[in-house]
Amino acid sequence: MTGGTGADAASAGASSTRPELRGERCLPPAGPVKVTPDDPRYLNLKLRGANSRFNGEPDYIHLVGSTQQVADAVEETVRTGKRVAVRSGGHCFEDFVDNPDVKVIIDMSLLTEIAYDPSMNAFLIEPGNTLSEVYEKLYLGWNVTIPGGVCGGVGVGGHICGGGYGPLSRQFGSVVDYLYAVEVVVVNKQGKARVIVATRERDDPHHDLWWAHTGGGGGNFGVVTKYWMRVPEDVGRNPERLLPKPPATLLTSTVTFDWAGMTEAAFSRLLRNHGEWYERNSGPDSPYTGLWSQLMIGNEVPGMGESGFMMPIQVDATRPDARRLLDAHIEAVIDGVPPAEVPEPIEQRWLASTPGRGGRGPASKTKAGYLRKRLTDRQIQAVYENMTHMDGIDYGAVWLIGYGGKVNTVDPAATALPQRDAILKVNYITGWANPGNEAKHLTWVRKLYADVYAETGGVPVPNDVSDGAYINYPDSDLADPGLNTSGVPWHDLYYKGNHPRLRKVKAAYDPRNHFHHALSIRP
Ligand SMILES: Cc1cc2nc3c(=O)[nH]c(=O)nc-3n(C[C@H](O)[C@H](O)[C@H](O)COP(=O)(O)OP(=O)(O)OC[C@H]3O[C@@H](n4cnc5c(N)ncnc54)[C@H](O)[C@@H]3O)c2cc1C
Protein backbone atom coordinates (compact mmCIF):
# COMPACT_ATOMS: atom_id res chain seq x y z
CA MET A 1 0.00 0.00 0.00
CA THR A 2 1.40 3.34 -0.98
CA GLY A 3 -0.46 5.05 1.88
CA GLY A 4 0.16 8.61 3.03
CA THR A 5 -0.73 11.44 0.76
CA GLY A 6 -0.18 12.19 -2.85
CA ALA A 7 0.95 8.67 -3.68
CA ASP A 8 1.43 8.05 -7.37
CA ALA A 9 2.15 4.42 -8.04
CA ALA A 10 3.34 3.57 -11.52
CA SER A 11 2.30 0.02 -10.79
CA ALA A 12 -1.21 -0.48 -9.52
CA GLY A 13 -0.17 -3.63 -7.69
CA ALA A 14 1.47 -1.49 -5.03
CA SER A 15 -1.83 -0.19 -3.78
CA SER A 16 -3.90 -3.15 -2.57
CA THR A 17 -4.79 -2.52 1.08
CA ARG A 18 -6.80 -5.64 1.76
CA PRO A 19 -4.51 -8.12 3.55
CA GLU A 20 -2.66 -5.66 5.80
CA LEU A 21 -5.84 -3.91 6.72
CA ARG A 22 -7.63 -6.94 7.93
CA GLY A 23 -4.67 -8.84 9.35
CA GLU A 24 -5.62 -11.86 7.32
CA ARG A 25 -3.82 -14.26 5.05
CA CYS A 26 -3.10 -12.75 1.69
CA LEU A 27 -5.71 -14.27 -0.60
CA PRO A 28 -5.77 -13.39 -4.28
CA PRO A 29 -8.55 -11.02 -5.35
CA ALA A 30 -11.40 -12.18 -7.57
CA GLY A 31 -11.11 -11.42 -11.28
CA PRO A 32 -10.25 -10.39 -13.81
CA VAL A 33 -13.11 -11.93 -15.76
CA LYS A 34 -13.68 -10.93 -19.36
CA VAL A 35 -17.31 -11.64 -20.15
CA THR A 36 -18.07 -11.88 -23.88
CA PRO A 37 -21.51 -12.28 -25.51
CA ASP A 38 -21.18 -16.09 -25.57
CA ASP A 39 -20.78 -16.19 -21.77
CA PRO A 40 -23.99 -16.89 -19.82
CA ARG A 41 -23.13 -14.00 -17.48
CA TYR A 42 -23.06 -11.46 -20.33
CA LEU A 43 -26.78 -10.65 -20.34
CA ASN A 44 -26.90 -10.50 -16.57
CA LEU A 45 -24.14 -7.90 -16.56
CA LYS A 46 -25.29 -6.05 -19.66
CA LEU A 47 -28.73 -5.51 -18.12
CA ARG A 48 -27.40 -4.11 -14.82
CA GLY A 49 -28.37 -0.56 -15.79
CA ALA A 50 -31.42 0.52 -13.78
CA ASN A 51 -33.00 2.40 -16.71
CA SER A 52 -34.34 -0.01 -19.33
CA ARG A 53 -34.56 2.89 -21.78
CA PHE A 54 -30.88 2.36 -22.64
CA ASN A 55 -29.16 -0.61 -24.23
CA GLY A 56 -25.54 -1.11 -25.11
CA GLU A 57 -23.83 -3.93 -27.01
CA PRO A 58 -20.31 -4.00 -25.55
CA ASP A 59 -17.75 -6.38 -27.11
CA TYR A 60 -17.04 -7.51 -23.56
CA ILE A 61 -17.60 -6.61 -19.93
CA HIS A 62 -14.48 -6.64 -17.79
CA LEU A 63 -15.06 -7.65 -14.17
CA VAL A 64 -12.16 -6.40 -12.08
CA GLY A 65 -11.17 -7.34 -8.55
CA SER A 66 -8.16 -5.13 -7.80
CA THR A 67 -6.63 -1.81 -8.74
CA GLN A 68 -4.00 -3.58 -10.82
CA GLN A 69 -6.72 -5.35 -12.78
CA VAL A 70 -8.43 -2.01 -13.42
CA ALA A 71 -5.16 -0.50 -14.67
CA ASP A 72 -4.61 -3.47 -17.00
CA ALA A 73 -8.19 -3.33 -18.26
CA VAL A 74 -7.94 0.40 -18.93
CA GLU A 75 -4.60 0.09 -20.71
CA GLU A 76 -6.03 -2.61 -22.94
CA THR A 77 -8.73 -0.19 -24.10
CA VAL A 78 -6.06 2.38 -24.89
CA ARG A 79 -4.16 -0.17 -26.98
CA THR A 80 -7.23 -1.37 -28.87
CA GLY A 81 -8.81 2.08 -29.17
CA LYS A 82 -12.16 0.75 -27.91
CA ARG A 83 -14.42 3.24 -26.17
CA VAL A 84 -14.70 2.38 -22.48
CA ALA A 85 -17.18 3.19 -19.71
CA VAL A 86 -17.23 2.21 -16.04
CA ARG A 87 -20.20 0.74 -14.24
CA SER A 88 -20.57 0.58 -10.46
CA GLY A 89 -24.22 0.54 -9.32
CA GLY A 90 -25.82 1.07 -12.75
CA HIS A 91 -28.10 3.92 -11.63
CA CYS A 92 -27.10 6.50 -14.25
CA PHE A 93 -30.04 8.58 -15.53
CA GLU A 94 -28.44 8.86 -18.99
CA ASP A 95 -26.78 6.55 -21.54
CA PHE A 96 -23.24 7.20 -20.32
CA VAL A 97 -22.63 3.45 -19.86
CA ASP A 98 -25.41 1.72 -21.79
CA ASN A 99 -24.58 3.29 -25.11
CA PRO A 100 -24.06 1.54 -28.47
CA ASP A 101 -20.72 3.38 -28.92
CA VAL A 102 -19.31 1.92 -25.69
CA LYS A 103 -17.38 -1.21 -26.61
CA VAL A 104 -15.99 -2.14 -23.18
CA ILE A 105 -17.65 -1.85 -19.79
CA ILE A 106 -15.36 -2.08 -16.78
CA ASP A 107 -17.68 -3.49 -14.11
CA MET A 108 -16.78 -2.76 -10.49
CA SER A 109 -19.13 -5.32 -8.88
CA LEU A 110 -16.25 -7.31 -7.37
CA LEU A 111 -14.67 -4.33 -5.60
CA THR A 112 -16.71 -4.29 -2.41
CA GLU A 113 -14.34 -3.73 0.54
CA ILE A 114 -15.53 -1.52 3.41
CA ALA A 115 -13.08 -1.14 6.30
CA TYR A 116 -11.45 1.31 8.68
CA ASP A 117 -8.01 2.03 7.19
CA PRO A 118 -5.59 3.07 9.96
CA SER A 119 -2.98 4.26 7.44
CA MET A 120 -5.44 6.93 6.26
CA ASN A 121 -7.36 7.24 9.53
CA ALA A 122 -10.48 7.03 7.37
CA PHE A 123 -13.04 4.53 6.09
CA LEU A 124 -12.07 2.79 2.90
CA ILE A 125 -15.11 2.20 0.67
CA GLU A 126 -14.67 0.46 -2.66
CA PRO A 127 -16.86 1.59 -5.57
CA GLY A 128 -18.66 -1.71 -6.21
CA ASN A 129 -20.70 -1.33 -3.02
CA THR A 130 -24.30 -0.21 -3.09
CA LEU A 131 -25.50 2.40 -0.61
CA SER A 132 -27.40 -0.19 1.46
CA GLU A 133 -24.23 -2.26 1.82
CA VAL A 134 -22.32 0.83 2.95
CA TYR A 135 -25.02 1.89 5.40
CA GLU A 136 -25.27 -1.56 6.93
CA LYS A 137 -21.54 -2.18 7.34
CA LEU A 138 -20.64 1.28 8.62
CA TYR A 139 -23.55 1.27 11.04
CA LEU A 140 -23.20 -2.23 12.44
CA GLY A 141 -19.41 -2.09 12.50
CA TRP A 142 -18.84 1.41 13.88
CA ASN A 143 -22.22 3.09 14.46
CA VAL A 144 -21.52 5.69 11.75
CA THR A 145 -22.80 6.52 8.28
CA ILE A 146 -22.51 8.80 5.26
CA PRO A 147 -25.47 11.09 4.43
CA GLY A 148 -26.13 9.40 1.09
CA GLY A 149 -29.13 8.71 -1.10
CA VAL A 150 -32.42 7.17 -0.17
CA CYS A 151 -32.33 4.37 -2.75
CA GLY A 152 -30.22 1.49 -1.45
CA GLY A 153 -29.43 0.08 -4.90
CA VAL A 154 -27.47 3.18 -6.00
CA GLY A 155 -23.77 2.42 -6.41
CA VAL A 156 -21.09 4.23 -4.47
CA GLY A 157 -18.88 4.48 -7.57
CA GLY A 158 -20.99 7.10 -9.32
CA HIS A 159 -22.79 8.47 -6.27
CA ILE A 160 -19.89 9.82 -4.23
CA CYS A 161 -17.92 11.56 -6.97
CA GLY A 162 -21.14 13.21 -8.23
CA GLY A 163 -21.91 14.81 -4.85
CA GLY A 164 -24.29 12.47 -3.04
CA TYR A 165 -27.13 13.54 -0.78
CA GLY A 166 -30.10 12.01 1.01
CA PRO A 167 -32.48 12.21 3.94
CA LEU A 168 -29.67 12.90 6.44
CA SER A 169 -28.05 15.69 4.40
CA ARG A 170 -30.02 18.47 6.09
CA GLN A 171 -28.43 17.30 9.33
CA PHE A 172 -24.97 16.19 8.15
CA GLY A 173 -24.31 17.79 4.75
CA SER A 174 -23.39 16.31 1.41
CA VAL A 175 -21.53 13.00 1.03
CA VAL A 176 -18.54 14.75 -0.56
CA ASP A 177 -18.13 16.89 2.53
CA TYR A 178 -16.73 13.66 4.05
CA LEU A 179 -14.47 12.62 1.17
CA TYR A 180 -10.90 12.44 2.46
CA ALA A 181 -9.15 10.68 -0.41
CA VAL A 182 -9.69 8.88 -3.65
CA GLU A 183 -7.66 6.34 -5.62
CA VAL A 184 -8.05 6.75 -9.37
CA VAL A 185 -6.66 4.93 -12.39
CA VAL A 186 -5.92 7.60 -14.99
CA VAL A 187 -4.38 7.51 -18.47
CA ASN A 188 -1.46 9.80 -19.29
CA LYS A 189 -0.58 11.42 -22.61
CA GLN A 190 1.42 8.36 -23.66
CA GLY A 191 -1.53 6.05 -23.01
CA LYS A 192 -0.07 4.50 -19.83
CA ALA A 193 -2.38 3.78 -16.91
CA ARG A 194 -1.28 5.35 -13.63
CA VAL A 195 -2.70 4.86 -10.16
CA ILE A 196 -3.02 8.05 -8.16
CA VAL A 197 -4.09 8.53 -4.56
CA ALA A 198 -5.32 12.10 -4.13
CA THR A 199 -6.26 13.56 -0.78
CA ARG A 200 -7.91 16.55 0.81
CA GLU A 201 -4.51 17.62 2.26
CA ARG A 202 -3.61 21.10 0.98
CA ASP A 203 0.01 20.14 0.27
CA ASP A 204 -0.91 17.03 -1.71
CA PRO A 205 0.39 17.44 -5.28
CA HIS A 206 -2.81 15.70 -6.42
CA HIS A 207 -5.13 17.84 -4.28
CA ASP A 208 -6.98 19.10 -7.37
CA LEU A 209 -7.78 15.54 -8.49
CA TRP A 210 -9.32 14.93 -5.04
CA TRP A 211 -11.28 18.18 -5.39
CA ALA A 212 -12.60 17.17 -8.83
CA HIS A 213 -14.09 14.06 -7.21
CA THR A 214 -16.09 16.14 -4.72
CA GLY A 215 -18.91 16.71 -7.22
CA GLY A 216 -17.34 16.62 -10.69
CA GLY A 217 -19.25 13.45 -11.54
CA GLY A 218 -18.37 9.95 -12.76
CA GLY A 219 -16.87 8.97 -16.10
CA ASN A 220 -14.69 12.09 -16.33
CA PHE A 221 -11.13 11.68 -15.06
CA GLY A 222 -10.45 7.96 -14.76
CA VAL A 223 -11.69 4.94 -12.83
CA VAL A 224 -12.17 5.41 -9.09
CA THR A 225 -10.96 2.28 -7.34
CA LYS A 226 -11.16 3.47 -3.72
CA TYR A 227 -12.79 6.19 -1.67
CA TRP A 228 -11.72 7.12 1.86
CA MET A 229 -14.24 8.98 4.01
CA ARG A 230 -13.92 10.95 7.22
CA VAL A 231 -15.05 14.22 8.80
CA PRO A 232 -13.16 17.37 7.80
CA GLU A 233 -12.21 18.20 11.40
CA ASP A 234 -9.39 16.57 13.35
CA VAL A 235 -11.25 14.29 15.78
CA GLY A 236 -8.49 11.86 16.67
CA ARG A 237 -8.21 8.23 15.66
CA ASN A 238 -11.32 6.61 17.08
CA PRO A 239 -13.19 5.27 14.00
CA GLU A 240 -16.53 5.81 15.74
CA ARG A 241 -15.90 9.58 15.61
CA LEU A 242 -14.76 9.75 12.01
CA LEU A 243 -18.21 9.87 10.41
CA PRO A 244 -21.64 11.07 11.56
CA LYS A 245 -23.87 8.86 13.70
CA PRO A 246 -27.29 8.18 12.20
CA PRO A 247 -30.37 8.30 14.37
CA ALA A 248 -31.08 4.85 15.82
CA THR A 249 -34.73 5.12 14.89
CA LEU A 250 -36.93 7.32 12.71
CA LEU A 251 -40.48 8.47 13.12
CA THR A 252 -42.02 8.08 9.68
CA SER A 253 -45.28 8.85 8.00
CA THR A 254 -46.62 9.24 4.46
CA VAL A 255 -49.34 11.80 3.84
CA THR A 256 -51.34 11.06 0.70
CA PHE A 257 -53.32 13.47 -1.46
CA ASP A 258 -56.26 12.92 -3.74
CA TRP A 259 -56.32 14.40 -7.25
CA ALA A 260 -60.13 14.17 -7.19
CA GLY A 261 -60.54 17.12 -4.86
CA MET A 262 -57.43 18.98 -5.95
CA THR A 263 -58.54 22.25 -7.53
CA GLU A 264 -55.88 24.52 -8.98
CA ALA A 265 -56.27 26.82 -5.98
CA ALA A 266 -55.74 23.92 -3.53
CA PHE A 267 -52.76 22.65 -5.53
CA SER A 268 -51.11 26.10 -5.52
CA ARG A 269 -51.69 26.43 -1.83
CA LEU A 270 -50.10 23.05 -1.15
CA LEU A 271 -46.95 23.86 -3.13
CA ARG A 272 -46.70 27.32 -1.58
CA ASN A 273 -47.14 25.89 1.93
CA HIS A 274 -44.52 23.26 1.27
CA GLY A 275 -41.98 25.60 -0.35
CA GLU A 276 -42.42 28.32 2.27
CA TRP A 277 -41.94 25.77 5.05
CA TYR A 278 -38.58 24.85 3.49
CA GLU A 279 -37.70 28.53 3.10
CA ARG A 280 -38.32 29.05 6.84
CA ASN A 281 -36.74 25.87 8.14
CA SER A 282 -33.61 25.08 6.14
CA GLY A 283 -30.94 27.00 8.05
CA PRO A 284 -28.11 24.88 9.49
CA ASP A 285 -29.28 25.65 13.04
CA SER A 286 -32.96 24.91 12.45
CA PRO A 287 -34.49 22.35 14.84
CA TYR A 288 -35.82 20.75 11.67
CA THR A 289 -32.49 19.63 10.15
CA GLY A 290 -33.32 16.12 11.42
CA LEU A 291 -36.56 16.17 9.44
CA TRP A 292 -36.73 15.35 5.74
CA SER A 293 -39.69 15.03 3.44
CA GLN A 294 -40.32 14.63 -0.23
CA LEU A 295 -43.48 15.96 -1.88
CA MET A 296 -44.14 13.55 -4.75
CA ILE A 297 -46.74 14.90 -7.14
CA GLY A 298 -47.47 11.96 -9.41
CA ASN A 299 -50.36 10.36 -11.18
CA GLU A 300 -51.73 7.07 -9.93
CA VAL A 301 -50.49 4.16 -12.03
CA PRO A 302 -50.85 0.63 -10.72
CA GLY A 303 -47.76 -1.47 -11.30
CA MET A 304 -45.42 1.45 -12.12
CA GLY A 305 -43.49 1.48 -8.86
CA GLU A 306 -43.35 4.78 -6.98
CA SER A 307 -46.38 6.68 -8.15
CA GLY A 308 -49.15 8.71 -6.70
CA PHE A 309 -49.47 11.99 -4.92
CA MET A 310 -47.90 11.77 -1.49
CA MET A 311 -45.35 13.09 0.94
CA PRO A 312 -43.18 10.62 2.84
CA ILE A 313 -41.59 12.21 5.92
CA GLN A 314 -38.98 11.05 8.36
CA VAL A 315 -37.65 12.65 11.52
CA ASP A 316 -34.92 11.64 13.95
CA ALA A 317 -36.99 9.73 16.53
CA THR A 318 -34.33 10.05 19.22
CA ARG A 319 -35.21 13.75 19.61
CA PRO A 320 -37.65 14.22 22.47
CA ASP A 321 -39.65 16.63 20.29
CA ALA A 322 -39.76 14.32 17.23
CA ARG A 323 -43.53 13.90 17.20
CA ARG A 324 -44.12 17.62 17.63
CA LEU A 325 -41.77 18.44 14.72
CA LEU A 326 -43.44 15.88 12.48
CA ASP A 327 -46.93 17.10 13.31
CA ALA A 328 -45.96 20.75 12.84
CA HIS A 329 -44.43 20.02 9.43
CA ILE A 330 -47.52 18.17 8.25
CA GLU A 331 -49.83 20.83 9.65
CA ALA A 332 -47.96 23.60 7.84
CA VAL A 333 -47.91 21.74 4.51
CA ILE A 334 -51.57 20.68 4.49
CA ASP A 335 -52.93 23.94 5.87
CA GLY A 336 -56.06 24.66 3.81
CA VAL A 337 -55.49 21.57 1.62
CA PRO A 338 -57.38 18.54 2.82
CA PRO A 339 -55.17 15.45 2.42
CA ALA A 340 -56.59 12.05 1.57
CA GLU A 341 -54.89 10.50 4.55
CA VAL A 342 -52.53 11.38 7.39
CA PRO A 343 -51.67 8.05 8.99
CA GLU A 344 -50.37 7.63 12.53
CA PRO A 345 -46.57 7.78 12.34
CA ILE A 346 -44.58 4.65 12.99
CA GLU A 347 -41.18 4.31 14.58
CA GLN A 348 -38.79 2.19 12.59
CA ARG A 349 -35.15 1.17 12.56
CA TRP A 350 -32.97 3.64 10.69
CA LEU A 351 -31.40 0.82 8.65
CA ALA A 352 -34.83 -0.27 7.44
CA SER A 353 -35.51 3.13 5.88
CA THR A 354 -33.40 2.44 2.78
CA PRO A 355 -34.90 0.06 0.22
CA GLY A 356 -32.48 -2.72 -0.79
CA ARG A 357 -30.76 -3.54 -4.06
CA GLY A 358 -32.39 -1.95 -7.10
CA GLY A 359 -33.04 -3.99 -10.19
CA ARG A 360 -33.72 -2.92 -13.76
CA GLY A 361 -36.65 -0.50 -13.67
CA PRO A 362 -38.97 0.77 -16.37
CA ALA A 363 -37.75 3.11 -19.09
CA SER A 364 -37.68 6.62 -17.70
CA LYS A 365 -36.47 10.17 -18.19
CA THR A 366 -35.65 12.50 -15.32
CA LYS A 367 -34.93 16.21 -15.53
CA ALA A 368 -33.93 18.26 -12.51
CA GLY A 369 -33.15 21.56 -10.86
CA TYR A 370 -32.17 23.18 -7.57
CA LEU A 371 -34.43 25.65 -5.73
CA ARG A 372 -33.21 28.51 -3.56
CA LYS A 373 -36.81 29.49 -2.88
CA ARG A 374 -40.15 27.87 -3.51
CA LEU A 375 -41.39 27.63 -7.08
CA THR A 376 -43.00 30.92 -8.11
CA ASP A 377 -46.78 31.12 -8.53
CA ARG A 378 -46.32 31.03 -12.29
CA GLN A 379 -44.14 27.92 -12.07
CA ILE A 380 -46.67 26.21 -9.80
CA GLN A 381 -49.31 26.97 -12.41
CA ALA A 382 -47.12 25.35 -15.07
CA VAL A 383 -46.74 22.23 -12.92
CA TYR A 384 -50.51 22.05 -12.39
CA GLU A 385 -51.25 22.53 -16.09
CA ASN A 386 -48.93 19.73 -17.15
CA MET A 387 -49.86 17.35 -14.32
CA THR A 388 -53.52 17.68 -15.27
CA HIS A 389 -52.89 17.09 -18.99
CA MET A 390 -51.36 13.64 -19.08
CA ASP A 391 -53.35 11.79 -21.71
CA GLY A 392 -51.54 8.56 -22.58
CA ILE A 393 -48.74 9.17 -20.06
CA ASP A 394 -48.02 6.05 -17.99
CA TYR A 395 -46.23 7.86 -15.19
CA GLY A 396 -45.44 11.50 -14.73
CA ALA A 397 -44.34 13.33 -11.61
CA VAL A 398 -42.72 16.32 -9.99
CA TRP A 399 -40.82 15.53 -6.80
CA LEU A 400 -39.84 18.33 -4.42
CA ILE A 401 -37.05 16.89 -2.26
CA GLY A 402 -35.92 18.37 1.07
CA TYR A 403 -32.39 19.84 1.04
CA GLY A 404 -30.40 22.65 2.69
CA GLY A 405 -29.40 22.72 6.36
CA LYS A 406 -25.80 21.59 6.94
CA VAL A 407 -25.15 21.28 3.18
CA ASN A 408 -25.20 25.06 3.05
CA THR A 409 -22.40 25.62 5.57
CA VAL A 410 -19.74 24.80 2.95
CA ASP A 411 -18.17 27.35 0.60
CA PRO A 412 -19.29 26.86 -3.07
CA ALA A 413 -15.66 26.52 -4.22
CA ALA A 414 -14.46 24.26 -1.39
CA THR A 415 -15.81 21.23 -3.24
CA ALA A 416 -16.75 20.81 -6.90
CA LEU A 417 -20.43 20.90 -5.82
CA PRO A 418 -21.21 24.64 -6.04
CA GLN A 419 -24.90 24.75 -5.03
CA ARG A 420 -24.62 25.71 -1.37
CA ASP A 421 -27.71 27.76 -0.60
CA ALA A 422 -30.51 25.65 -2.08
CA ILE A 423 -33.40 24.44 0.07
CA LEU A 424 -34.99 21.89 -2.28
CA LYS A 425 -34.16 19.75 -5.29
CA VAL A 426 -36.82 19.18 -7.96
CA ASN A 427 -37.13 16.14 -10.19
CA TYR A 428 -39.40 16.09 -13.24
CA ILE A 429 -39.97 12.45 -14.11
CA THR A 430 -41.71 10.29 -16.64
CA GLY A 431 -41.70 6.51 -17.05
CA TRP A 432 -43.27 4.23 -19.64
CA ALA A 433 -43.85 0.54 -20.12
CA ASN A 434 -44.03 0.23 -23.91
CA PRO A 435 -40.84 1.28 -25.79
CA GLY A 436 -43.04 2.51 -28.64
CA ASN A 437 -44.37 5.24 -26.36
CA GLU A 438 -40.99 6.85 -25.62
CA ALA A 439 -41.44 9.90 -27.86
CA LYS A 440 -44.78 10.84 -26.33
CA HIS A 441 -43.36 10.64 -22.80
CA LEU A 442 -40.25 12.62 -23.66
CA THR A 443 -42.42 15.31 -25.23
CA TRP A 444 -44.55 15.48 -22.09
CA VAL A 445 -41.66 15.83 -19.62
CA ARG A 446 -39.77 18.27 -21.87
CA LYS A 447 -42.83 20.50 -22.17
CA LEU A 448 -43.33 20.41 -18.39
CA TYR A 449 -39.71 21.46 -17.83
CA ALA A 450 -39.78 24.10 -20.58
CA ASP A 451 -42.96 25.59 -19.10
CA VAL A 452 -41.57 25.71 -15.55
CA TYR A 453 -38.39 27.43 -16.77
CA ALA A 454 -40.05 29.47 -19.54
CA GLU A 455 -38.56 32.75 -18.26
CA THR A 456 -34.97 31.44 -18.35
CA GLY A 457 -34.62 29.73 -21.70
CA GLY A 458 -36.20 26.44 -20.64
CA VAL A 459 -33.58 25.54 -18.00
CA PRO A 460 -32.92 26.35 -14.31
CA VAL A 461 -30.49 29.23 -14.82
CA PRO A 462 -29.09 30.35 -11.45
CA ASN A 463 -31.12 33.31 -10.20
CA ASP A 464 -33.16 34.28 -7.16
CA VAL A 465 -35.24 31.07 -7.29
CA SER A 466 -33.25 28.45 -9.20
CA ASP A 467 -29.63 27.35 -8.93
CA GLY A 468 -28.78 25.14 -11.87
CA ALA A 469 -28.75 21.35 -11.77
CA TYR A 470 -27.05 18.36 -10.13
CA ILE A 471 -24.61 16.23 -12.16
CA ASN A 472 -25.77 13.03 -10.43
CA TYR A 473 -29.11 13.77 -12.11
CA PRO A 474 -27.59 14.22 -15.58
CA ASP A 475 -29.87 15.39 -18.38
CA SER A 476 -28.31 15.54 -21.84
CA ASP A 477 -31.11 17.88 -22.96
CA LEU A 478 -29.27 20.69 -21.20
CA ALA A 479 -26.58 20.45 -23.89
CA ASP A 480 -29.16 20.63 -26.69
CA PRO A 481 -29.42 24.20 -28.03
CA GLY A 482 -33.01 23.48 -29.08
CA LEU A 483 -33.99 22.70 -25.50
CA ASN A 484 -31.64 25.06 -23.67
CA THR A 485 -32.10 28.50 -25.22
CA SER A 486 -30.81 30.33 -22.14
CA GLY A 487 -27.35 31.04 -23.49
CA VAL A 488 -25.97 29.43 -20.32
CA PRO A 489 -24.05 26.28 -21.29
CA TRP A 490 -24.85 22.95 -19.63
CA HIS A 491 -21.57 22.89 -17.70
CA ASP A 492 -22.32 26.22 -16.03
CA LEU A 493 -25.74 24.93 -14.95
CA TYR A 494 -24.07 21.96 -13.25
CA TYR A 495 -20.76 23.42 -12.05
CA LYS A 496 -21.22 27.20 -12.12
CA GLY A 497 -17.91 28.92 -11.25
CA ASN A 498 -16.14 25.61 -10.61
CA HIS A 499 -16.13 24.58 -14.27
CA PRO A 500 -12.79 26.19 -15.31
CA ARG A 501 -10.96 24.40 -12.49
CA LEU A 502 -12.59 21.09 -13.45
CA ARG A 503 -11.36 21.58 -17.01
CA LYS A 504 -7.81 22.11 -15.78
CA VAL A 505 -8.01 18.86 -13.81
CA LYS A 506 -9.39 17.07 -16.85
CA ALA A 507 -6.55 18.38 -19.04
CA ALA A 508 -3.95 17.32 -16.46
CA TYR A 509 -5.27 13.83 -15.68
CA ASP A 510 -7.13 12.73 -18.82
CA PRO A 511 -5.35 14.63 -21.61
CA ARG A 512 -6.42 12.07 -24.25
CA ASN A 513 -10.10 12.40 -23.18
CA HIS A 514 -10.11 8.63 -22.84
CA PHE A 515 -13.09 8.81 -20.46
CA HIS A 516 -15.99 10.68 -21.96
CA HIS A 517 -19.76 10.80 -22.39
CA ALA A 518 -22.43 13.30 -23.48
CA LEU A 519 -21.94 15.54 -20.41
CA SER A 520 -18.29 14.89 -19.58
CA ILE A 521 -15.86 17.71 -18.91
CA ARG A 522 -13.80 18.54 -21.98
CA PRO A 523 -10.00 18.79 -21.59
C1 LIG B 1 -33.59 5.18 -8.44
C2 LIG B 1 -32.52 6.22 -8.23
C3 LIG B 1 -32.47 6.88 -7.02
C4 LIG B 1 -31.48 7.84 -6.79
N1 LIG B 1 -31.46 8.49 -5.58
C5 LIG B 1 -30.48 9.39 -5.34
C6 LIG B 1 -30.42 10.07 -4.09
O1 LIG B 1 -31.25 9.85 -3.20
N2 LIG B 1 -29.42 10.94 -3.89
C7 LIG B 1 -28.47 11.21 -4.86
O2 LIG B 1 -27.56 12.00 -4.61
N3 LIG B 1 -28.53 10.61 -6.06
C8 LIG B 1 -29.50 9.71 -6.32
N4 LIG B 1 -29.55 9.09 -7.53
C9 LIG B 1 -28.55 9.45 -8.53
C10 LIG B 1 -27.26 8.65 -8.33
O3 LIG B 1 -26.49 9.24 -7.30
C11 LIG B 1 -26.43 8.70 -9.60
O4 LIG B 1 -27.19 8.12 -10.64
C12 LIG B 1 -25.11 7.99 -9.46
O5 LIG B 1 -24.19 8.47 -10.41
C13 LIG B 1 -25.26 6.50 -9.61
O6 LIG B 1 -24.07 5.82 -9.42
P1 LIG B 1 -23.96 4.29 -9.86
O7 LIG B 1 -22.59 3.85 -9.56
O8 LIG B 1 -25.12 3.55 -9.31
O9 LIG B 1 -24.26 4.39 -11.41
P2 LIG B 1 -23.45 3.96 -12.72
O10 LIG B 1 -24.49 3.95 -13.79
O11 LIG B 1 -22.68 2.74 -12.52
O12 LIG B 1 -22.48 5.18 -12.92
C14 LIG B 1 -22.94 6.50 -13.08
C15 LIG B 1 -21.85 7.35 -13.76
O13 LIG B 1 -20.65 7.32 -12.96
C16 LIG B 1 -19.61 6.66 -13.66
N5 LIG B 1 -18.91 5.77 -12.74
C17 LIG B 1 -19.45 4.73 -12.06
N6 LIG B 1 -18.49 4.14 -11.31
C18 LIG B 1 -17.36 4.84 -11.51
C19 LIG B 1 -16.04 4.70 -11.01
N7 LIG B 1 -15.71 3.73 -10.16
N8 LIG B 1 -15.11 5.58 -11.42
C20 LIG B 1 -15.42 6.57 -12.29
N9 LIG B 1 -16.65 6.74 -12.80
C21 LIG B 1 -17.62 5.88 -12.41
C22 LIG B 1 -20.28 5.90 -14.80
O14 LIG B 1 -19.39 5.67 -15.87
C23 LIG B 1 -21.43 6.80 -15.12
O15 LIG B 1 -21.01 7.88 -15.92
C24 LIG B 1 -30.53 8.13 -7.80
C25 LIG B 1 -30.59 7.46 -9.02
C26 LIG B 1 -31.59 6.51 -9.24
C27 LIG B 1 -31.67 5.81 -10.56
Side-chain angles (χ1 to χ4, degrees), residues 347-366:
E347 190 168 357
Q348 65 163 305
R349 299 183 312 130
W350 171 73
L351 262 185
S353 64
T354 305
R357 289 189 88 96
R360 195 156 169 87
S364 63
K365 168 77 184 166
T366 301

Side-chain angles (χ1 to χ4, degrees), residues 30-35 39 41 45 60-65 69 110:
V33 185
K34 215 179 208 182
V35 179
D39 187 308
R41 289 166 292 186
L45 292 168
Y60 63 92
I61 297 162
H62 219 147
L63 285 159
V64 284
Q69 292 177 23
L110 299 176

Side-chain angles (χ1 to χ4, degrees), residues 50 85-93 96-97 108 127 148-151 153-159 161 164-166 218-219 222-225 470 472-473 517:
V86 192
R87 168 132 67 213
S88 289
H91 273 59
C92 193
F93 280 170
F96 300 167
V97 180
M108 311 300 278
V150 71
C151 177
V154 166
V156 169
H159 186 69
C161 60
Y165 84 102
V223 184
V224 176
T225 42
Y470 172 42
N472 258 347
Y473 293 156
H517 53 69

